[in-house]
């Protein structure tokens, strides 16, 4: 430990260095998942945050002052009962540096020694068992000798509680005092077998605000004017168990009264051209209200694209033809800017592939969540209707037949219902169709026979017990080149699930067609649910597709910052909840190959054709297109096509004859509108 100057020691000794705690994302899972608390974010007395020795996690470590009484104090959330508390430390001296641990001011473990680790860059751990109270606790590690404590990197708390009972759903959610940028929410308390520790106010699957268990009314002041919202409340106990969501309140914030338009977008330019498409980009506008609601792209005087991005690609153009484009910005109150500069572009005479154009409408459906083409040469496909729980047969000419319902499928009044489907690799002989759906008590994967144009009326379970919630249900099913069934499973609004290999949630699973775990799965030897896990650390993954090398790619919805495109490795950990995209404590996790702002993508279905990747964007309301690089380990700059044309895009599936089917799922936020048939399946073509 490097001695600090007398002045630095004096300053830190005169007053405690109090740093507001930034908790590691969310609480431990119900099955005793560990939670990390960085030392540099704790309360420090007679010590300093440094980063001059390599190997630490987070943004630094705490160097205790060399005196008795210096300490680091963490504020942690845990269930009542014992917990294993592990300090990651370094001690570059030969003398042991003992610490006393107290919990909420009461002695917990006395005289715990931290021997030398050989160097300040060599990190080790030591674990003590402490008894914690339900909810918030302070754990202080205090030096007891004149040498002070070891360098402290982080504290890891692993409750040994076996509490697996979630709280009840909060009740009677109501909204009042709605303003252009704020609204107040009130609700009645949830109950729990131990105690509720916090509530989350959610819009869709994203968190607007978190409050403690004693708060039953809160104002959210980060809303946007003239915008529709649907809000619900979820409760959590100290073990990380998540309740189901409360009732939903839907409302629209009023206009702010702003009449000043944004500035015009700048530097409109062409970024790519093919025989049938032009890629455009521009510089962001600014607005006095602080936000831009979107950009409208004009081809001459006709509006051809609407997007929240700073790029779009216009398709269905004629080869060897001159086109002119401008862009205008809109603020949340509908004020439109002046037009950008005009850019004129000539399409090429020959195509370069990759960018699809619109071919024709196929059919109108309710919420076509997933598509799988039959291998009989007919060009017909099965389609799942999320909120009607129906399976449709849709022909290449758009004829629809309702084959039946998947028994036991229910809604979550949100993102659950009848989701993914996949046909058996040996469908022509076994006639199995696999479905991922929400049931009364869980999400599950089942299979049903489809023979001679008739769908069976009963299903057989393949894998059950996937936790459900109103949000974050995942739901995609695809058979891989290896003949195994892969499933993308959301964290069910309990982020602790994602790092807990004993949970099926927050994972990509790999399953034999009969529901057994494959013997070469990465965690097969651990037994239990671990046997099904192929990759972990996901929030709400949905898209699954394989490239020409047989590599698996997946898309993932982010929280409030970044959506992701990931190249999936066997046994890989992708970081949620510590890491969202490239933001957070991302050390040691596999980084995404591409990220987007959560307002631009919302990536759901994904398809790969000739190593071009096509991603259906729900939130961004556009189709993203990018190409895998020659090495197969990354992608080029994505292009957005069909921006705003069909709304929220859900699935993208290659057809047997070399085209794509694209589906929309508008009005899908609160259990959909199963009485309406107002979404589309469209066919896209390649030049």
């Amino acid at each position: 430990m490097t001695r600090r100057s007398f002045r630095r020691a004096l300053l830190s000794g005169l007053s405690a260095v109090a740093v507001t705690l930034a908790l590691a994302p969310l609480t431990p899972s119900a099955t005793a998942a560990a939670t990390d608390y960085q030392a540099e974010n704790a309360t420090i007395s007679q010590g300093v945050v440094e980063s001059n020795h390599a190997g630490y996690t987070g943004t630094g470590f705490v160097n205790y002052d060399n005196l008795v009484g210096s300490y680091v104090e963490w504020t942690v959330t845990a269930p009542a009962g014992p917990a294993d508390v592990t300090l990651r430390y370094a001690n570059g001296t030969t003398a042991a540096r003992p610490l006393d641990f107290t919990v909420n001011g009461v002695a917990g473990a006395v005289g715990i020694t931290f021997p030398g680790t050989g160097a300040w860059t060599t990190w080790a751990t030591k674990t003590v068992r402490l008894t914690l109270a339900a909810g918030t606790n302070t754990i202080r590690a205090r030096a007891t000798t004149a040498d002070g404590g070891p360098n402290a990197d982080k504290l890891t708390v692993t409750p040994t509680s076996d509490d697996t009972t979630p709280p009840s759903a909060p009740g009677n959610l109501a909204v009042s005092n709605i303003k252009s940028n704020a609204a107040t929410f009130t609700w009645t308390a949830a109950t729990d077998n131990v105690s509720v520790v916090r509530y989350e106010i959610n819009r869709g699957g994203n968190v607007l605000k978190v409050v403690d268990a004693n708060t039953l009314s809160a104002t959210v002041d980060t809303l946007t004017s003239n915008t529709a919202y649907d809000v619900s409340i979820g409760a959590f106990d100290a073990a990380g168990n998540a309740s189901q969501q409360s009732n939903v309140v839907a409302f629209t914030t009023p206009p702010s009264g702003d009449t000043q338009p944004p500035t015009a977008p700048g530097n409109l330019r062409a970024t790519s051209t093919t025989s049938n498409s032009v890629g455009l980009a521009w510089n962001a506008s600014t607005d006095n209200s602080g936000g831009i609601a979107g950009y409208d792209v004009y081809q001459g005087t006709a509006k051809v694209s609407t997007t929240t991005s700073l790029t779009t690609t216009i398709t269905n153009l004629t080869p060897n033809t001159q086109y002119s484009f401008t862009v205008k910005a809109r603020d949340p109150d509908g004020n439109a800017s002046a037009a950008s500069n005009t850019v004129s572009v000539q399409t090429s005479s020959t195509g370069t592939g990759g960018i699809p154009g619109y071919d024709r409408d196929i059919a109108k459906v309710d919420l076509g969540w997933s598509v799988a083409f039959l291998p009989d040469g007919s060009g017909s496909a099965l389609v799942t209707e999320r909120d009607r729980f129906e399976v449709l047969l849709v022909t290449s000419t758009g004829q629809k037949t309702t084959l039946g319902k998947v028994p036991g499928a229910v809604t979550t009044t949100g993102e659950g219902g009848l989701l993914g489907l996949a046909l058996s690799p040996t469908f022509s002989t076994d006639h199995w169709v696999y479905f991922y759906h929400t049931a009364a008590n869980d999400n599950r994967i089942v299979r049903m026979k489809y023979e001679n144009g008739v769908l069976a009326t009963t299903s057989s379970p393949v894998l059950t017990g996937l936790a459900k919630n109103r949000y974050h249900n995942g739901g995609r099913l695809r058979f891989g080149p290896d003949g195994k069934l892969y499933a993308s499973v959301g964290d069910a609004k309990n982020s602790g699930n994602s790092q807990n290999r004993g949970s099926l949630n927050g994972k990509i699973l790999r399953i034999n067609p009969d529901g057994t775990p494959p013997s070469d799965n990465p965690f097969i030897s651990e037994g239990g649910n671990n046997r099904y896990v192929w990759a972990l650390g996901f929030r709400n993954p949905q898209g699954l597709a394989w490239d020409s090398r047989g590599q698996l790619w997946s898309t993932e919805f982010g929280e409030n910052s970044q959506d992701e495109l990931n190249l999936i490795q066997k046994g890989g950990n992708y970081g949620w909840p510590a890491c969202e995209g490239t933001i957070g404590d991302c050390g040691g996790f596999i980084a995404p190959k591409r990220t987007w702002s959560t307002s631009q993508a919302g990536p759901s279905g994904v398809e790969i054709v000739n190593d071009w990747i096509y991603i259906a964007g729900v939130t961004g309301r556009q189709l993203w297109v990018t190409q895998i690089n020659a090495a197969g380990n990354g992608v080029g700059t994505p292009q957005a096509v069909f921006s705003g044309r069909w709304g929220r895009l859900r699935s993208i599936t290659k057809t047997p004859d070399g085209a794509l089917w694209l589906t929309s799922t508008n009005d899908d936020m609160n259990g959909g509108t199963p009485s309406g048939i107002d979404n589309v399946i469209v066919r896209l073509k390649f030049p």
Side-chain angles (χ1 to χ4, degrees), residues 485-509:
L485 180 63
Y486 291 74
S488 58
V489 187
D491 67 10
K493 284 296 292 180
N494 183 347
S495 67
N497 288 334
S498 299
Q499 293 296 323
N500 174 14
R501 292 206 294 266
S503 167
L504 296 170
N505 290 83
K507 310 292 190 301
I508 292 174
L509 307 179

Side-chain angles (χ1 to χ4, degrees), residues 215-499:
T215 300
L216 299 177
S217 178
T219 297
V220 177
D221 58 4
T222 55
L223 305 183
T224 301
S225 64
N226 200 31
T227 301
Y229 285 87
D230 62 289
V231 173
S232 62
I233 306 288
F236 290 80
D237 64 18
N241 297 304
S243 76
Q244 296 299 306
Q245 295 290 300
S246 70
N247 59 296
V248 177
V249 292
F251 62 95
T252 299
T253 52
S256 66
D258 173 32
T259 59
Q260 181 176 329
T263 61
N267 190 26
L268 176 63
R269 57 204 181 273
T271 56
S272 65
T273 59
T274 71
S275 63
N276 75 325
S277 70
V278 171
L280 300 170
W282 54 91
N283 295 348
S285 299
T286 59
D287 188 66
N288 63 308
S289 67
I292 300 295
Y295 296 92
D296 297 323
V297 182
Y298 292 84
Q299 178 184 314
T301 59
K303 186 189 298 185
V304 292
S305 179
T306 296
T307 180
T308 58
S309 306
L310 297 176
T311 64
T312 193
T313 298
I314 310 302
T315 62
N316 286 83
L317 304 179
T318 302
N320 198 30
T321 303
Q322 190 87 5
Y323 292 93
S324 294
F325 301 96
T326 55
V327 179
K328 295 181 180 180
R330 286 177 288 104
D331 66 18
D333 290 294
N335 300 303
S337 75
S340 69
N341 59 294
T342 300
V343 63
S344 295
V345 186
Q346 182 160 321
T347 53
S348 60
S349 57
T350 57
T352 58
I355 303 298
Y358 167 74
D359 188 2
R360 65 180 187 270
D361 285 5
I362 295 295
K364 285 286 187 70
V365 295
D366 174 31
L367 295 176
W369 207 92
S370 195
V371 174
F373 283 90
L374 296 171
D376 58 5
S378 67
S380 299
L382 302 184
V383 179
T384 54
E385 287 273 36
R386 191 192 72 178
D387 297 322
R388 298 165 71 95
F389 320 128
E390 292 176 345
V391 183
L392 303 180
L393 175 67
V394 182
T395 70
S396 60
T397 58
Q399 293 179 306
K400 293 188 305 179
T401 304
T402 301
L403 300 176
K405 292 190 175 185
V406 173
V410 302
T411 184
T412 63
T413 322
E415 296 173 351
L418 178 56
L419 304 174
L421 84 157
L423 302 185
S424 165
T426 53
F427 176 81
S428 59
T429 56
D430 63 31
H431 307 292
W432 283 120
V433 184
Y434 291 75
F435 298 97
Y436 184 120
H437 74 85
T438 308
N441 298 308
D442 61 1
N443 284 307
R444 54 182 50 199
I445 301 168
V446 302
R447 61 183 182 179
M448 300 171 67
K449 291 282 188 177
Y450 177 58
E451 298 178 277
N452 301 317
V454 178
L455 183 69
T457 57
T458 59
S459 65
S460 302
V462 175
L463 186 64
T464 63
L466 288 65
K468 72 171 187 176
N469 207 301
R470 181 174 183 240
Y471 308 117
H472 301 188
N473 294 290
R476 197 70 60 182
L477 293 178
R478 295 292 291 266
F479 275 96
D482 56 3
K484 308 301 182 184
L485 180 63
Y486 291 74
S488 58
V489 187
D491 67 10
K493 284 296 292 180
N494 183 347
S495 67
N497 288 334
S498 299
Q499 293 296 323

Side-chain angles (χ1 to χ4, degrees), residues 160-209:
T160 60
S161 167
D162 59 359
D163 175 21
T164 60
T165 302
S168 64
N172 301 316
L173 177 63
V175 61
S176 62
N177 197 27
I178 300 171
K179 299 179 179 178
S180 61
N181 68 337
T184 299
F185 303 95
T186 57
W187 60 94
T188 55
T191 59
D192 187 66
N193 62 316
V194 179
S195 64
V196 173
V197 297
R198 76 178 193 276
Y199 295 99
E200 284 185 355
I201 304 174
N202 297 293
R203 180 196 186 191
N206 303 100
V207 178
L208 294 175
K209 191 169 187 176

